[in-house]
Amino acid sequence: MGFHYFYEKCKFELEWEQLEQEYTAAGMEETAISLMKLFDWQWFCSRRVYENHVQDFPSEAMSDETANSMLLKKFAALSVSFGLEDLNGRYDWIETIEDRKLYQNLCSLTYADLELLTLIVIDGYTQAEIARLYGCSRNSIYKRMKKIKKILRRG
């Protein structure tokens, strides 16, 4: 869902009211208590920034969540959908690419690179899952994907 600032700030303030009382009762100095509160506040703010910039991509199966997803609304132009049942071969998805240069670059990929890209783009595997499937390290999959991206970006 994201970071609900008001709710989280109220929780933070309530927690710190209790902590200040405990620290004062334990004999801590005011400066030490305020430094600890400042540290926690900075952590709170960094967590807020992180939570506001990182979101899970909504599941396609959850139509209500997908329809209300701000992430999908913001990046609707980047979304592509086509029926896999309309495709005859494993790599027929390439034929749906409208950008001529990208299409040519995809056609220049080796079979192994095309299979890797298909596993990620069409089948939805993560790089870690593919590494386990191929019996290699995640780093080697990462490097191959980096190479593929470089090929696809060629002008």
Side-chain angles (χ1 to χ4, degrees):
M1 175 171 93
F3 192 88
H4 191 281
Y5 179 77
F6 180 76
Y7 174 73
E8 295 294 331
K9 185 173 186 238
C10 286
K11 277 181 21 182
F12 177 84
E13 293 297 334
L14 286 173
E15 183 181 322
W16 259 99
E17 282 178 25
Q18 183 180 3
L19 286 173
E20 282 179 316
Q21 291 172 359
E22 290 176 14
Y23 292 153
T24 303
M28 282 183 74
E29 294 180 14
E30 282 294 318
T31 55
I33 295 172
S34 63
L35 286 173
M36 289 179 68
K37 185 174 182 178
L38 177 63
F39 177 83
D40 283 353
W41 178 251
Q42 289 171 341
W43 177 84
F44 173 86
C45 291
S46 70
R47 190 172 63 108
R48 175 181 176 220
V49 169
Y50 176 80
E51 292 292 333
N52 283 333
H53 288 89
V54 176
Q55 298 180 37
D56 289 334
F57 202 70
S59 168
E60 291 295 326
M62 304 177 94
S63 59
D64 291 340
E65 181 182 338
T66 304
N68 296 324
S69 170
M70 291 305 294
L71 188 64
L72 284 181
K73 288 176 185 174
K74 184 175 182 180
F75 297 107
L78 300 177
S79 176
V80 174
S81 63
F82 54 88
L84 293 176
E85 61 278 351
D86 298 336
L87 304 176
N88 295 326
R90 178 134 174 90
Y91 308 113
D92 284 352
W93 64 271
I94 296 172
E95 301 297 325
T96 65
I97 304 297
E98 294 175 1
D99 184 298
R100 188 179 64 79
K101 195 64 181 165
L102 179 59
Y103 174 78
Q104 289 173 342
N105 290 344
L106 279 167
C107 290
S108 72
L109 292 175
T110 66
Y111 169 76
D113 289 342
L114 200 53
E115 178 62 20
L116 176 62
L117 198 56
T118 302
L119 284 170
I120 290 175
V121 173
I122 302 300
D123 297 337
Y125 285 95
T126 64
Q127 290 183 12
E129 291 169 333
I130 295 170
R132 271 183 290 204
L133 185 70
Y134 284 173
C136 62
S137 70
R138 280 179 40 194
N139 194 37
S140 64
I141 299 298
Y142 169 79
K143 286 180 181 178
R144 280 184 59 196
M145 282 303 298
K146 194 172 178 180
K147 182 187 98 172
I148 292 170
K149 287 177 188 176
K150 188 176 181 181
I151 292 170
L152 295 179
R153 286 188 186 123
R154 279 194 300 214

